Amino acid sequence: MVPGMTAAETPEHITRTRMVTARAVLQGQADLRTYPYRLLAVVSHHGLGGDKVSEAVAAAEVLGQFGWDLVNVSEFASNKVVYAFMRKR
């Protein structure tokens, strides 16, 4: 698990870390209406390898419906986490 990420992420937590978990997005628990920045990292740390990528990309698809564009997807082997980097239109 990524340090600081919680099951029910508050808007304040997301703003402070500039990150949201893919799971929170997919479960409708992430409220980004007051998020003040143009860039956001979607973090996936559940499952194995390709499952994490799939979860991150699925969350990016959901955010795409709300004015976010996928910039890049990266997997960091050192902490076994996948990040989808998003930019607000």
Side-chain angles (χ1 to χ4, degrees):
M1 182 154 181
V2 175
M5 300 309 279
T6 59
E9 295 155 60
T10 65
E12 295 81 14
H13 176 80
I14 295 168
T15 297
R16 183 173 37 80
T17 62
R18 297 183 187 217
M19 291 188 286
V20 63
T21 61
R23 183 155 291 176
V25 172
L26 294 171
Q27 293 178 350
Q29 297 174 341
D31 182 359
L32 298 173
R33 291 177 293 181
T34 60
Y35 185 74
Y37 305 113
R38 287 192 62 222
L39 299 175
L40 175 70
V42 178
V43 184
S44 177
H45 48 79
H46 292 97
L48 301 171
D51 294 336
K52 294 176 197 171
V53 173
S54 295
E55 184 180 59
V57 171
E61 280 286 331
V62 169
L63 291 175
Q65 299 171 18
F66 299 99
W68 292 88
D69 292 323
L70 179 63
V71 176
N72 195 3
V73 175
S74 295
E75 182 174 13
F76 293 90
S78 62
N79 58 3
K80 300 179 180 163
V81 174
V82 172
Y83 293 90
F85 298 100
M86 308 295 295
R87 179 185 299 128
K88 183 84 170 165
R89 285 186 217 120

